[in-house]
Amino acid sequence: MKVKIAIFFLFFTIFALESQNIRKKIDSLKQEVKFLRDTSLIKSLDKISGLYKRIDIDSSLIFAKKSLEGAVAIKNDKFTALAYNNLGTIYESKSLLDSALYCHKRSLQIKTKIKDTIGIADTYNNFGIIYDLRGEYLKSLQNYFKALEVYESTNVTFNKVPMVLVNIGIVYKKQKNYKKVLEFYTKAIKIYKDNNHKLGTVITTGNIASVYLELKDYKQAIINSLEAKKGFKELSYEVYLPFMDHNIAIAKDGLEEYLEARKIYNSIIIEFENQNALFELSDAKINLAKNYTKTNNLHFAIKELKEALIIIKKNKFKEKELTVLKLLSKNQGNLNSFKEAYNNLITYDIKKDSVFEQEKTKAILELETKYQTEKKEKELLETRTEKAETELALSKTITWVYILIGGLALAIMLFFNISQRNKRKNQEEILAQKERGLKAIIDAQEEERSKIARELHDGVVQQIGSVILKSRNMLSKMDLLRSKESQELLESLENSNQDLRNISHQMMPRTLKELGIIPALNDLLEGSLALSNIKFSLEHFNIEERLPQKIEVTIYRIIQELINNIIKHSKADEVSVQLFNTNNTAILIVEDNGVGFSSKESKKGIGLLNISSRLDLVKGEVNYAPSPKSGTLVTIKIPLENAY
């Protein structure tokens, strides 16, 4: 135990030292960028973003956006494509897959324009990764094979081909086509060995071990895991050793060497806890519980399963939750804890069948509706037949009456229609004038915002930046740079400069113009709510392409207004924003858990009137309702059919 604690602290110390070294490099680069311009500035911003990826993904995103802004400003296609690619990989690591896909598509467009063949293949590989994460395996494989075709026919670094081969194997593994997995892993490991690439060889060897576990070839799985473990030790990648030990423990269980497997499970659970590898930790606890179950140690099995369930619920590992609930119910039943067993089984059935039940209910309702419609149509047809026979018998005697009444009615309708048409025409003209006036006002507002934002960013902000540099140089020459008053002066100038930048971005955010509505909303929520102790979430669906500019600006301004109201009046501590495209209609839902407001209050206030005015111009509609969370639920619908 003492040895393990020592290893943990050694690992923690190494990580802390590495983190310190990275931050020193970042601080050095931040000082350099103040004096750089054009491509040199963009390269340094990209380096800072890359370093932050290893310690702070949000800061990495900020500098990636700055890199993109710089590349777009100097109209450099190569660096713009690289910046979009970098943004895509960052969004992917933040699980914002729609935003990642959009950035990689923009990168692909530019790479195609400048005929960057290898860069195009890199983007196809990135597409494969994203579609794999989204569960769209056919699209994932199609893109991986496109990348592979380019890599194999082009003079590229050797490691790109086995990288794609392994990625293809991962997709086939999810589809349980283990023969194909071994085929592609074997090709990859041969290339790694031929080029003496030890890390690639070791990682792929470990992956092959996991395939043999699925094939129940436990002895071969142990051989491969031990080989990979040896390789990781030689390369000083001790952090991966518990993953290989996990494979070995599972294989030992399969070979009915339960005691040996149990020792390994207990060891790797400590390692995963130290690494905070929660997914693997829950997996190891489940496997240890299975081991206890096989050896009839049911109390220990239940203890491990309950601990695993806490981790799983907290981190929303939904598939694993079903596994644990089923095992818990079985073990509790065997111990005659029937109430607990029953409750867990019911929970398991509810979670397992919820999606199926929804689909089944939908299908039943559709069938019932179809049946009722056909029945009513049949009854209606019979009624119409009887009615037609009656009308035919009476038609000869009342024909002239109908003609006279019809003529009179036609004259009345004609007069009424002419009157209504003139009235409607006048109303439409009034509405059109009102709409043109509103549009002119809003367009003027947006143009003025954009102008002020440019003036602030390109004028005042740059001037203050120049003043900061000159002040720093002057104070340095006068040997006053380290004095308290000098530091306070410089800090005040830098804070003012940052405030002006924030105001500039709020007036007309560049992210909205260059990346689109999803990245812009993410920036808006982070910037507005970061200091307000209000938690927020942003969800979006089917927003893969850019929306029309006027729609994106309308959505952004509406959410900006709603967020300001929430901060000022709602007393909420949670906000949820959802945006999705369904049936060619943009649906925006903003929900908070604050104090709410009445329907009368919803019609008052300049901010809410501004929302209505903006929606009038895009034929949208808004509804304010009490939220299930005791706050306010705002639902907005904007048609997209004629907006493009």
Side-chain angles (χ1 to χ4, degrees), residues 85 153 284 286 328 339 351 375 565 642:
N85 185 80
S153 61
I286 291 169
L328 263 176
K339 184 178 180 180
K351 290 181 180 291
K375 182 179 177 182
N565 283 344
N642 299 316

Side-chain angles (χ1 to χ4, degrees), residues 34 467-476 481 490 494:
K34 296 177 181 178
V467 169
I468 292 172
L469 285 175
K470 289 179 181 178
S471 300
R472 192 181 296 276
N473 290 335
M474 183 181 73
L475 291 169
S476 178
L481 186 60
L490 291 172
E494 287 173 351

Side-chain angles (χ1 to χ4, degrees), residues 162 184-194 200-202 204-205 208 227:
F184 283 93
Y185 280 178
T186 303
K187 288 180 182 178
I189 204 168
K190 184 179 185 305
I191 296 171
Y192 281 133
K193 286 182 176 179
D194 289 345
T201 302
V202 171
T204 311
T205 301
I208 291 175
E227 185 180 344

